[in-house]
Amino acid sequence: MTTALAEKGLAPAPAAAPEADRRQKRGRGLDDGVPRRQIYLPLALYLLFTLIPFYWMLLFALRPAGSTSLVPWPMTGEHFAKVWNERSFGTFFQNSMIVGVSSLVMTTVVALAGGYALARFDFRIKKGFMLALLASQFIPGALMLVPLFEIFKNLQMINSLGSVVIAETVFQLPLSMILISGFIRNVPVSLEEQAWVDGCGRFRAFCAVVLPLLRPGLIAVGSFAFVHSWNHFLFALMFLSSQDKQTIPVGLNTLIGADSVDLGALAAGGVIAAVPVVIVFAFIQKWLITGFSAGAVKG
């Protein structure tokens, strides 16, 4: 009857969603009734707690030496010029990039082959091998320094970037293989079987069908390998002796003296070390979240 009256202009038509209800829902926050302040306030506090150290590092890197201002003004680039030219950070940056990219490529390729074998083949010691991969994550890298040093010494690889690349790859492979195997399990075997029927071999079917679907997972594993190699300090310290072979984490350690610390140079070095990681995560954030969530669906 109300509808009929509304058509004759005698009564207003009922609204689909009253404005008052929409305002109340907007103020309440989420659909389950949780107020927005209970979500945003802890996130804001966590963000503040996380960003203050970065701001403090930028403050010391950009303000002049001897300044006590809490705002980096006037800005100066003397600290960056000092660490890049006088402290050989250009060489450290190049070495870190070589180690990071090489570890990324080797870890991704080997983990891809091993993960495919774990996901698609059944063999007698498969469960034991998976258990060994998981157990290896509980072994600290420091416990393996002496055996690795002896191995690289016999291979005449001490003071070579190749020793750091191999060590980083070996210690990142277990987790990377487990993640890649989870990604491959999410790809139906029927897709490969259709390619086999069309005349493709296993390797060609893998490259044509499975590999394009693994892009989020490969980006997630590769970024994890790069960041870990970029930030790792212990292997570079133990296996590299000459200054022209050092990486950025070891280079930052050289800025800390026995009696004094150049805070401006140390902060500038920290900014240089953080820039590549920030750029990597800024470009691959979507793929990284998609990759890790996809690998967690099936085990």
Side-chain angles (χ1 to χ4, degrees):
M1 182 176 181
T2 304
T3 306
L5 294 176
E7 291 178 353
K8 296 180 180 180
L10 300 179
E19 184 67 23
D21 293 344
R22 286 198 294 265
R23 290 179 180 177
Q24 184 178 1
K25 183 179 294 185
R26 189 182 304 115
R28 186 171 62 243
L30 304 178
D31 294 336
D32 57 359
V34 178
R36 289 182 180 270
R37 62 179 179 274
Q38 295 186 12
I39 302 297
Y40 292 145
L41 183 59
L43 290 178
L45 293 176
Y46 175 77
L47 185 63
L48 183 65
F49 180 78
T50 304
L51 291 181
I52 284 179
F54 288 97
Y55 177 77
W56 205 250
M57 182 173 63
L58 284 173
L59 179 65
F60 277 92
L62 294 176
R63 73 183 184 183
S67 175
T68 58
S69 174
L70 296 179
V71 179
W73 190 263
M75 294 185 181
T76 179
E78 60 179 352
H79 301 303
F80 292 95
K82 180 179 181 179
V83 298
W84 192 266
N85 298 322
E86 300 179 13
R87 298 288 187 164
S88 303
F89 257 69
T91 303
F92 300 155
F93 188 91
Q94 180 180 354
N95 294 336
S96 292
M97 190 63 67
I98 292 174
V99 171
V101 174
S102 301
S103 301
L104 183 155
V105 173
M106 292 182 61
T107 302
T108 304
V109 171
V110 180
L112 188 61
Y116 183 84
L118 293 174
R120 290 292 190 255
F121 298 103
D122 291 325
F123 46 93
R124 184 174 301 176
I125 61 172
K126 181 177 179 179
K127 292 184 178 180
F129 184 74
M130 291 289 292
L131 182 61
L133 289 179
L134 292 173
S136 65
Q137 299 302 298
F138 297 98
I139 302 176
L143 295 180
M144 303 299 294
L145 284 178
V146 174
L148 285 175
F149 187 87
E150 290 296 327
I151 292 173
F152 291 139
K153 181 180 179 181
N154 294 331
L155 295 175
Q156 298 182 357
M157 295 185 64
I158 296 298
N159 198 30
S160 171
L161 293 178
S163 60
V164 181
V165 172
I166 293 175
E168 293 288 351
T169 302
V170 168
F171 275 88
Q172 295 177 57
L173 270 179
L175 180 60
S176 299
M177 289 178 61
I178 294 173
L179 291 176
I180 289 291
S181 65
F183 300 141
I184 296 177
R185 288 192 186 97
N186 293 332
V187 180
V189 183
S190 58
L191 297 178
E192 289 186 83
E193 293 175 345
Q194 293 176 7
W196 299 343
V197 172
D198 293 336
C200 294
R202 182 177 291 273
F203 180 75
R204 184 179 177 185
F206 171 78
C207 294
V209 178
V210 180
L211 191 59
L213 300 177
L214 297 179
R215 182 166 54 178
L218 294 177
I219 292 176
V221 171
S223 61
F224 179 79
F226 175 82
V227 172
H228 185 273
S229 302
W230 182 270
N231 293 327
H232 205 186
F233 171 78
L234 197 56
F235 290 154
L237 178 66
M238 292 299 299
F239 302 146
L240 304 175
S241 56
S242 60
Q243 185 175 0
D244 60 337
K245 297 289 185 180
Q246 299 291 356
T247 58
I248 281 186
V250 182
L252 289 173
N253 186 59
T254 61
L255 298 177
I256 303 175
D259 301 323
S260 62
V261 179
D262 190 345
L263 294 179
L266 186 62
V271 172
I272 294 174
V275 165
V277 178
V278 173
I279 293 176
V280 167
F281 278 102
F283 280 100
I284 68 170
Q285 180 181 6
K286 181 182 70 173
W287 295 106
L288 188 65
I289 297 174
T290 304
F292 278 121
S293 60
V297 174
K298 297 180 180 179

